[in-house]
Amino acid sequence: MRTIEASEITAHIQSALTVEQMAGCAVALINSQGVLYQQTFGVKNILTQEKITENTAFRIASISKTFTGVAILQLIEQGLIALDQSVSDVLHAYQWDASTFPRPATIQELLTHTSGVGELLHWRDLLTSGNVLIRPGQPRLALADLYRGKIKPEVAPGTKWAYSNHAFATLGQIIEDISGETYINYLKRHVFLPVDMDNTDVNPEKFESQLATGHQPHPRKKTLSTVEWLDISVLPAGGLISTIGDMAKYASALLTDLKCDTHALLSRDSVDNMMSSHWKTDHCFSSQGLAFLLGDFHGHRLVWHDRAAPGFISSLLMLPDDDLGVVVSSNAFSSGARSIGESVLSKFFLSNDDQQASFKPKQEVQKRLVGTYAPPSGAKTNLRFLQQFGLELVIVTREGKLFVSALNTSFRAGIELVAINKESTCYRGEVRQPDSALVTPIYLDFKMNGGEKAVEIRGNFDLPFQVNRIPAWRSIKTITLGAAIGLSVLALSFARRKIQS
């Protein structure tokens, strides 16, 4: 790992900001000893041009899920709940209705987005941003009222990964039901206070003039506009607001607990468990820890979380084996936060030794992977896949190389895949994000199940996904071609009748 000067980091971020569509950001580089670098850039509001400072507060969106995860692990350490315990045993405020499945989900399945609940509980939620955002003037309902007394999973627990705000909202309710404290009061006493996080809350009024304004990039004009503040109904899934200083303390405390077993937040074993794989693909790559997402960064183990709230995106990236992490908070709905975080970390890892190994693919294996793959049943739990790819993935070979394509713009022309295991069943590709320097890897792990052709792919493209092989006649290409032929036949038939008449 290289040693770099603060001035080099600052110059690098300033250069990156000329590429990304952002109003501003705050960046902190940390390790288990504390803050290595901290700096702010840009403005809180493009209309007032007020500068971002170390006291500026940002919405940290779904990084809030990791705080909820820490609180749950604390309750587990106290022996009040267990990872393998049924949700129905510890959830009292409303019902987890698993009557159509053999069993309810476990605490672990809620923490790993495998509970059977996705981002949509009902189709009507499409009209309300997944039923998680609150319009100005609307009250925030208690979760029991929001869910009308129960949550009903769409698929059986443990069978499918599906990103779920509602699962983490339920974890927040469990914290309240078991501890007897409100969610935010529990965090203040047991998470914020032990690490001196004085500037983190769910209430925007606490921050007054410190709060940054959210911005939305215009996709064609390359300009920014301010966005309306929308509150969130599921606070444990994404409701926290924090400063860069507080977020640096949080990330550093996790690395300290992991390295030194200081118990500032959790025991070493609990932090290690949070950062270990709980949804993996035969050691090909890891995707999901407890609350945290997992990945690879230039051959180094990556533990991370980001995501967005209206007008904001923040990113928390940690390399636990290297005792290093970066936090980026931004006030624009842009991939710039993740891009800047990765680019800062990459300054430390520039040698060829830090690249993930690749292997010469076996042509006979590649032929067995070619085909069309679609997500498994459960339309409401397929929302993220549909947003990322469209309805299906198509695997093809061209001149001895494997490619993946989809209806999504980034994939339409096909992304070349490189084998990352000797068996030629695991692959990695790189996808450049539009209007950003960010390059996002895609991983695909093909499951053969002893047959002649691959039957399933477990993959990761920013978030985990899984798809199954479908017959050629069910592919979009075949259906579209069949529809076109059918319409042509009808048109010809109609024309002949007109001529004959």
Side-chain angles (χ1 to χ4, degrees), residues 371-373 392-396 403-406:
T372 303
Y373 299 79
E392 61 191 24
L393 292 181
V394 179
I395 306 297
V396 298
F403 289 80
V404 57
S405 64

Side-chain angles (χ1 to χ4, degrees), residues 305-492:
H305 214 300
D306 56 23
R307 306 258 76 78
F312 294 83
I313 291 185
S314 291
S315 188
L316 168 59
L317 310 172
M318 294 183 289
L319 305 175
D321 299 332
D322 303 280
D323 190 26
L324 190 65
V326 65
V327 184
V328 183
S329 296
S330 78
N331 57 336
F333 194 84
S334 157
S335 58
R338 178 66 177 263
S339 176
I340 288 172
E342 289 194 3
S343 66
V344 168
L345 288 179
S346 70
K347 299 295 288 184
F348 292 86
F349 304 106
L350 296 178
S351 73
N352 291 330
D353 295 335
D354 293 313
Q355 301 301 318
Q356 190 169 27
S358 60
F359 299 85
K360 184 178 180 180
K362 298 178 180 179
Q363 300 298 316
E364 66 276 12
V365 175
Q366 285 193 343
K367 292 177 182 178
R368 298 166 64 189
L369 311 181
V370 170
T372 303
Y373 299 79
S377 61
K380 294 194 288 292
T381 44
N382 288 333
L383 181 63
R384 286 284 169 145
F385 180 88
L386 298 176
Q387 290 173 334
Q388 288 184 313
F389 300 106
L391 295 172
E392 61 191 24
L393 292 181
V394 179
I395 306 297
V396 298
T397 55
R398 301 174 193 163
E399 299 177 352
K401 298 177 180 179
L402 204 66
F403 289 80
V404 57
S405 64
L407 292 176
N408 180 292
T409 303
S410 301
F411 287 86
R412 201 165 292 164
I415 301 297
E416 184 178 347
L417 299 171
V418 176
I420 57 174
N421 70 342
K422 294 179 180 179
E423 295 77 19
S424 295
T425 57
C426 291
Y427 290 81
R428 183 184 191 275
E430 293 187 343
V431 183
R432 183 168 295 279
Q433 299 299 319
D435 302 316
S436 173
L438 182 64
V439 176
T440 304
I442 179 171
Y443 292 92
L444 301 176
D445 179 17
F446 292 84
K447 303 294 183 184
M448 311 302 288
N449 287 358
E452 289 298 315
K453 297 180 178 180
V455 296
E456 179 191 54
I457 302 174
R458 287 203 174 188
N460 186 288
F461 177 58
D462 189 34
L463 294 174
F465 64 88
Q466 61 196 81
V467 287
N468 300 326
R469 180 185 289 274
I470 61 173
W473 62 265
R474 280 184 52 196
S475 70
I476 298 298
K477 182 178 180 180
T478 302
I479 292 172
T480 303
L481 179 61
I485 292 172
L487 288 173
S488 299
V489 170
L490 287 174
L492 286 171

Side-chain angles (χ1 to χ4, degrees), residues 119-132:
E119 289 184 281
L120 299 177
L121 295 177
H122 311 282
W123 288 115
R124 62 175 179 268
D125 294 345
L126 285 170
L127 304 176
T128 57
S129 301
N131 205 22
V132 299

